[in-house]
Amino acid sequence: MAATPPHPSSGPESGIAVRHLLLPPEDPQVRTRSERLRALGIEARPDTELDAFARELAQRTGGCYAGVNFFLDADRQYFAGLYSAAQDTPVHMGPPLLQDPVPGRVMPRDIDMGICPHVVRRRRALVLEDIRDFPRFAGNHVVDAIGIHSYLGAPLIDSTGVVLGTICVVDQDPQPWGRKGLETIKAMAAELVERLEESARRRS
């Protein structure tokens, strides 16, 4: 009889099997996503509206950092919106890539360079109220680089079914995000996708 996988800590959506968190985040939508992002006019450039959206996300959830993250291609994740509650200014999320068009906003799309790649793969929101309770993520480079202990993220899934990226909130302390936090970030993800698609329709 196969061994029963251990369960992560209790909390919203924490019943997901550990094996799904351990799998590398394969991305069959790389080409389709890149085409869709171009159609929506999303590029690696600063966006003050998305910075403002990240600020609102942080304020509504109580996180110290928040971001709007698009997956430009198979290698890069780009934070089009960033916010730091501590400084009330956008924050650099990690070491820049070579040829980074916006220093501090583009990171490798690597499972050890953030948690958002896992959210994209799962196509579902992910709640980690204390990252130290999840061995798969506790040693992630971004956890140490930024000093975060909790994560709340949701995928940005457009009307065609493509996962464009994520929105996420992190905090330097464990946070009881709870059902309220989960529902808030899911609702804001849906709101942002609607805004992006409406903006593209107005331009066409």
Side-chain angles (χ1 to χ4, degrees):
M1 179 180 296
T4 302
H7 293 285
S9 299
S10 60
E13 302 218 350
S14 62
I16 178 173
V18 170
R19 64 179 180 275
H20 291 301
L21 296 179
L22 296 177
L23 289 173
E26 298 175 1
D27 191 353
Q29 291 191 324
V30 170
R31 180 176 298 179
T32 304
R33 177 182 304 110
S34 295
E35 294 173 354
R36 184 64 175 145
L37 288 171
R38 284 195 296 270
L40 292 171
I42 297 170
E43 301 175 2
R45 62 171 182 262
D47 191 317
T48 56
E49 290 187 7
L50 292 179
D51 282 342
F53 182 92
R55 179 185 297 110
E56 180 183 358
L57 177 59
Q59 292 171 346
R60 288 180 60 178
T61 58
C64 62
Y65 304 129
V68 178
N69 184 14
F70 296 113
F71 283 56
L72 299 176
D73 50 40
D75 302 314
R76 299 178 299 161
Q77 48 182 324
Y78 169 60
F79 286 87
L82 276 178
Y83 177 73
S84 165
Q87 300 176 353
D88 198 34
T89 57
V91 61
H92 289 182
M93 291 293 285
L97 291 172
L98 294 177
Q99 300 178 345
D100 182 348
V102 187
R105 289 192 181 233
V106 178
M107 296 197 310
R109 184 197 173 278
D110 185 280
I111 59 174
D112 293 321
M113 285 295 296
I115 301 171
C116 288
H118 294 270
V119 174
V120 169
R121 180 191 177 278
R122 297 174 72 234
R123 300 176 62 93
R124 294 171 55 197
L126 178 62
V127 182
L128 303 174
E129 296 184 344
D130 190 334
I131 294 176
R132 293 168 296 185
D133 292 338
F134 298 83
R136 178 64 190 87
F137 301 114
N140 193 285
H141 172 80
V142 174
V143 173
D144 292 332
I146 307 177
I148 64 172
H149 282 140
S150 54
Y151 172 93
L152 176 64
L156 296 168
I157 304 177
D158 75 357
S159 59
T160 70
V162 174
V163 184
L164 305 173
T166 67
I167 60 173
C168 64
V169 185
V170 298
D171 201 90
Q172 294 176 323
D173 297 310
Q175 288 292 336
W177 303 115
R179 179 61 58 179
K180 180 179 179 181
L182 177 64
E183 294 303 325
T184 296
I185 201 164
K186 289 168 64 175
M188 291 191 70
E191 173 192 331
L192 180 56
V193 168
E194 184 176 345
R195 284 169 52 177
L196 293 172
E197 293 189 324
E198 175 59 29
S199 179
R201 285 192 292 269
R202 289 198 302 267
R203 290 194 303 271
S204 62

Short mmCIF file of all heavy atoms in Angstrom, two decimals, residues 9 12 43-44 48 62 85 95 104 113 122 143 146 161 169 172-173 180 203:
data_model
loop_
_atom_site.label_atom_id
_atom_site.label_comp_id
_atom_site.label_asym_id
_atom_site.label_seq_id
_atom_site.Cartn_x
_atom_site.Cartn_y
_atom_site.Cartn_z
N SER A 9 0.32 22.45 6.99
CA SER A 9 -0.41 23.05 8.10
C SER A 9 -1.84 23.32 7.70
O SER A 9 -2.17 23.48 6.54
CB SER A 9 0.27 24.35 8.53
OG SER A 9 1.57 24.10 8.97
N PRO A 12 -6.82 27.59 4.80
CA PRO A 12 -7.50 27.54 3.50
C PRO A 12 -6.64 26.92 2.43
O PRO A 12 -5.48 27.25 2.28
CB PRO A 12 -7.79 29.03 3.21
CG PRO A 12 -7.75 29.69 4.54
CD PRO A 12 -6.75 28.92 5.35
N GLU A 43 4.19 44.61 -21.29
CA GLU A 43 5.61 44.47 -21.58
C GLU A 43 6.40 44.71 -20.29
O GLU A 43 5.84 45.10 -19.27
CB GLU A 43 6.04 45.47 -22.66
CG GLU A 43 5.30 45.32 -23.98
CD GLU A 43 5.68 46.40 -24.97
OE1 GLU A 43 6.55 47.23 -24.62
OE2 GLU A 43 5.11 46.43 -26.07
N ALA A 44 7.71 44.50 -20.37
CA ALA A 44 8.58 44.73 -19.23
C ALA A 44 8.90 46.21 -19.13
O ALA A 44 9.97 46.67 -19.54
CB ALA A 44 9.86 43.90 -19.35
N THR A 48 2.73 52.57 -13.39
CA THR A 48 2.32 53.20 -12.14
C THR A 48 0.95 52.72 -11.68
O THR A 48 0.68 52.65 -10.47
CB THR A 48 2.30 54.73 -12.29
OG1 THR A 48 1.44 55.09 -13.39
CG2 THR A 48 3.70 55.26 -12.56
N GLY A 62 -3.01 43.35 4.46
CA GLY A 62 -2.14 43.54 5.61
C GLY A 62 -0.72 43.05 5.42
O GLY A 62 0.04 42.96 6.39
N ALA A 85 5.17 48.28 1.96
CA ALA A 85 4.48 49.06 2.98
C ALA A 85 5.47 49.77 3.89
O ALA A 85 5.19 50.87 4.38
CB ALA A 85 3.56 48.16 3.81
N PRO A 95 17.66 39.79 -7.11
CA PRO A 95 18.80 40.18 -7.95
C PRO A 95 18.39 40.27 -9.40
O PRO A 95 17.69 39.39 -9.91
CB PRO A 95 19.80 39.03 -7.72
CG PRO A 95 18.95 37.87 -7.31
CD PRO A 95 17.82 38.46 -6.53
N GLY A 104 15.76 45.12 -10.87
CA GLY A 104 15.07 44.76 -9.64
C GLY A 104 13.66 44.25 -9.84
O GLY A 104 13.04 43.79 -8.88
N MET A 113 13.49 30.66 -7.12
CA MET A 113 13.55 32.11 -7.14
C MET A 113 12.16 32.69 -6.96
O MET A 113 11.76 33.63 -7.63
CB MET A 113 14.15 32.60 -8.46
CG MET A 113 15.65 32.41 -8.55
SD MET A 113 16.55 33.43 -7.36
CE MET A 113 16.12 35.07 -7.94
N ARG A 122 -0.17 25.51 -10.64
CA ARG A 122 -1.36 24.97 -9.99
C ARG A 122 -2.66 25.56 -10.55
O ARG A 122 -3.70 24.96 -10.46
CB ARG A 122 -1.31 25.27 -8.48
CG ARG A 122 -0.18 24.63 -7.73
CD ARG A 122 -0.14 25.12 -6.28
NE ARG A 122 -1.23 24.58 -5.50
CZ ARG A 122 -2.08 25.31 -4.81
NH1 ARG A 122 -1.99 26.62 -4.81
NH2 ARG A 122 -3.03 24.73 -4.10
N VAL A 143 12.87 33.88 -0.02
CA VAL A 143 12.53 33.89 1.40
C VAL A 143 13.66 34.49 2.21
O VAL A 143 13.46 35.34 3.08
CB VAL A 143 12.21 32.46 1.88
CG1 VAL A 143 12.02 32.44 3.40
CG2 VAL A 143 10.95 31.93 1.19
N ILE A 146 14.57 38.45 1.05
CA ILE A 146 13.65 39.50 1.50
C ILE A 146 13.28 39.32 2.97
O ILE A 146 12.77 40.24 3.60
CB ILE A 146 12.38 39.51 0.63
CG1 ILE A 146 12.76 39.60 -0.85
CG2 ILE A 146 11.46 40.67 0.98
CD1 ILE A 146 11.58 39.54 -1.78
N GLY A 161 -8.44 31.40 -20.75
CA GLY A 161 -7.90 30.30 -19.97
C GLY A 161 -6.40 30.33 -19.80
O GLY A 161 -5.81 29.39 -19.24
N VAL A 169 1.07 38.59 -2.09
CA VAL A 169 1.38 39.40 -0.92
C VAL A 169 2.31 38.56 -0.04
O VAL A 169 2.11 37.36 0.10
CB VAL A 169 0.12 39.75 -0.11
CG1 VAL A 169 0.48 40.67 1.04
CG2 VAL A 169 -0.94 40.36 -0.99
N GLN A 172 6.85 39.71 6.53
CA GLN A 172 8.04 39.27 7.25
C GLN A 172 7.70 38.48 8.50
O GLN A 172 8.60 37.93 9.14
CB GLN A 172 8.91 40.49 7.58
CG GLN A 172 9.49 41.15 6.34
CD GLN A 172 10.26 42.42 6.65
OE1 GLN A 172 9.88 43.17 7.54
NE2 GLN A 172 11.34 42.65 5.93
N ASP A 173 6.45 38.42 8.85
CA ASP A 173 5.98 37.63 9.99
C ASP A 173 4.93 36.64 9.52
O ASP A 173 4.27 36.87 8.50
CB ASP A 173 5.35 38.54 11.06
CG ASP A 173 6.36 39.53 11.63
OD1 ASP A 173 7.46 39.09 12.02
OD2 ASP A 173 6.03 40.73 11.68
N LYS A 180 -10.69 34.97 4.70
CA LYS A 180 -10.87 36.35 4.22
C LYS A 180 -9.74 36.75 3.28
O LYS A 180 -9.97 37.34 2.23
CB LYS A 180 -10.92 37.31 5.40
CG LYS A 180 -11.11 38.76 5.00
CD LYS A 180 -11.18 39.69 6.21
CE LYS A 180 -11.36 41.14 5.79
NZ LYS A 180 -11.40 42.05 6.97
N ARG A 203 -8.22 49.87 -26.64
CA ARG A 203 -7.14 50.23 -27.57
C ARG A 203 -7.37 49.67 -28.97
O ARG A 203 -6.82 50.19 -29.94
CB ARG A 203 -5.80 49.72 -27.05
CG ARG A 203 -5.29 50.46 -25.80
CD ARG A 203 -3.82 50.13 -25.60
NE ARG A 203 -3.60 48.69 -25.47
CZ ARG A 203 -3.64 48.02 -24.32
NH1 ARG A 203 -3.92 48.66 -23.19
NH2 ARG A 203 -3.42 46.73 -24.29
#
